Amino acid sequence: PSSQNWQQCSFNNGLFTVTSLSAAAATSTDGISWTARSVVSTSYTNTVYGAGLFVRGAGSTAYTSPDGINWAQRTAGSTTWGGIAYGNGVFVMVGGTGSAVTSPDGINWTARTLPTITVWRTVIFSSGLFIATGNGNVGASSLDGITWTVFSLPSSGEWKIAVARGTGLIVNKYASTEMSRHYLNTTYNPETQFIVPRAISADINSWIRAL
């Protein structure tokens, strides 16, 4: 609907939602025709849908909506949230320095602790796991958003993660040639390695790529 620094795009429950860094938002049912929506903050996380609600974070607040258009403000801790995901019946938001919160309904949130001190920027839910990334050379995975396991990334950077077809792609914002894929809690560097699904053991998690 307008020229903005559009930051996030999500598709949930039949609705596309985009938000910007300048307090703007829009929704669409087809990705072609968009309607401007009112917002009350900047720097939103992505939007997710679960438990009958659209949910997203902004600053230290969570927002919920039954329709993706009209939003209610919720209390969700005291840090700046970088990402949100929904899976296994729970919402998870990450951000700040080792901070996370979980909620069964998007309304009532409980503070959690991630296992390492960094600024967590993104979290996704894939293959039954929450996977979080941020600044540094590590990521973390969890079944429930409460107990987290650290995994290593190829280098230190500002890592952001996306997911498609059950496989995550983690990309370093400041070094575009560096990336890492995550498959069933196994991390590998696709530039030097490849992974064989269903051929993973405790001793051999990836294979060296022959170029």
Side-chain angles (χ1 to χ4, degrees), residues 33-118:
S33 300
W34 294 84
T35 303
R37 304 297 181 185
S38 60
V39 293
V40 295
S41 181
T42 60
S43 299
Y44 285 102
T45 67
N46 55 307
T47 303
V48 296
Y49 184 84
L53 288 175
F54 294 87
V55 183
R56 65 188 178 211
S60 58
T61 305
Y63 293 86
T64 62
S65 171
D67 55 13
I69 299 169
N70 302 293
W71 295 85
Q73 184 173 328
R74 311 295 182 181
T75 301
S78 58
T79 192
T80 299
W81 301 115
I84 186 172
Y86 179 81
N88 287 343
V90 64
F91 294 94
V92 174
M93 282 199 298
V94 300
T97 53
S99 299
V101 287
T102 63
S103 173
D105 55 13
I107 299 170
N108 302 291
W109 296 85
T110 301
R112 309 295 182 185
T113 302
L114 283 160
T116 188
I117 301 300
T118 188

Side-chain angles (χ1 to χ4, degrees), residues 121-151:
R121 297 190 176 276
T122 54
V123 60
I124 57 97
F125 182 80
S126 176
S127 301
L129 285 173
F130 293 98
I131 306 169
T133 58
N135 293 1
N137 63 345
V138 296
S141 61
S142 173
L143 289 170
D144 55 12
I146 301 171
T147 303
W148 294 84
T149 300
V150 171
F151 60 84

